[in-house]
Amino acid sequence: MVDFLRKVNSLVQKRVNLHPDDPAIQLIWHELVSLLKSNEERAIAFLEQSKETELYWLCEIFEDLSAEFLSRAFIHCLLELQKKYPDLDMEQDIEYAIQSIEE
């Protein structure tokens, strides 16, 4: 788990340091999704323990994770995070996650 946390945190930090138009963002998103999708329970536990500043950057990949997990547990996680951090605009992410499992 420590290695997982280190990798995710390192990728988030790399993302923070990039210019918004940097094409490397796509590579970081892909790596983050690959890491997190490998174990939904671990991903949810990580997200639940994340700080608002980390989640701000991780929100960028929630749509991709929703498509991977197709899970009510992930939707519940997003709903709880939205309650915990109301300043994060996650409404579209939550809607997409719900639509993903309804299709």
Side-chain angles (χ1 to χ4, degrees):
M1 182 73 165
V2 173
D3 192 41
F4 170 81
L5 293 174
R6 191 179 358 232
K7 286 179 184 176
V8 174
N9 288 328
S10 172
L11 287 168
V12 170
Q13 191 57 49
K14 285 180 184 178
R15 170 59 187 102
V16 169
N17 292 329
L18 291 177
H19 184 276
D21 296 327
D22 192 321
I25 291 171
Q26 295 294 324
L27 297 172
I28 291 173
W29 286 353
H30 178 73
E31 287 184 63
L32 281 168
V33 171
S34 293
L35 271 172
L36 293 169
K37 77 177 186 179
S38 66
N39 184 316
E40 182 181 5
E41 288 180 22
R42 182 173 59 184
I44 289 172
F46 172 77
L47 293 172
E48 289 173 340
Q49 295 174 4
S50 294
K51 296 176 184 165
E52 186 173 11
T53 53
E54 295 168 317
L55 289 170
Y56 173 81
W57 296 103
L58 289 166
C59 284
E60 297 176 331
I61 63 165
F62 285 172
E63 188 174 316
D64 292 341
L65 289 176
S66 294
E68 291 291 335
F69 293 144
L70 299 173
S71 160
R72 293 198 187 283
F74 186 66
I75 293 169
H76 178 74
C77 173
L78 295 181
L79 289 167
E80 291 302 311
L81 291 173
Q82 182 68 76
K83 285 181 198 172
K84 186 175 180 181
Y85 302 114
D87 290 339
L88 290 178
D89 183 15
M90 296 174 43
E91 291 171 15
Q92 285 185 319
D93 298 313
I94 294 166
E95 284 180 35
Y96 183 82
I98 292 168
Q99 288 174 359
S100 293
I101 64 171
E102 289 178 349
E103 293 178 347

